Amino acid sequence: MTVQIEFLLASLNEELGLAREHRSTGASDLSLQAVASLLQRADTLTASGQWANANELFHAAARQVSDSWSFSSRLGMEVLELVQAVERRASN
């Protein structure tokens, strides 16, 4: 999972480097930074076996994406797909 999160973090940083009007997500700096922070913290918690706490952070990232990012954003879809994969893994 860490590799996938690292890929997403790199993509979030690339998006953050663009002017807002050129971002596929349409997200503000604050929103992109919040999602990056949530994913990093969730990854750390997952690595230490704290799945319940990590799950809350993954859901918070998904809410941020679904509430304020463009629905056609590939990056947003990738974040949401990660959260869904985490949910499937947690339910097994």
Side-chain angles (χ1 to χ4, degrees), residues 11-37 64-70 73 75:
S11 296
L12 287 163
N13 283 328
E14 286 177 24
E15 187 83 351
L16 193 55
L18 299 173
R20 186 170 183 179
E21 61 271 8
H22 298 296
R23 295 176 183 167
S24 65
T25 59
S28 68
D29 288 358
L30 184 59
S31 180
L32 291 166
Q33 292 166 344
V35 170
S37 176
Q64 179 69 28
V65 168
S66 63
D67 288 350
S68 63
W69 292 18
S70 169
S73 162
L75 180 54

Side-chain angles (χ1 to χ4, degrees), residues 1-9 39 78 81-83 85:
M1 182 178 329
T2 298
V3 172
Q4 188 174 9
I5 290 176
E6 287 175 4
F7 172 77
L8 287 174
L9 292 173
L39 292 177
E78 289 172 353
E81 288 169 2
L82 170 69
V83 173

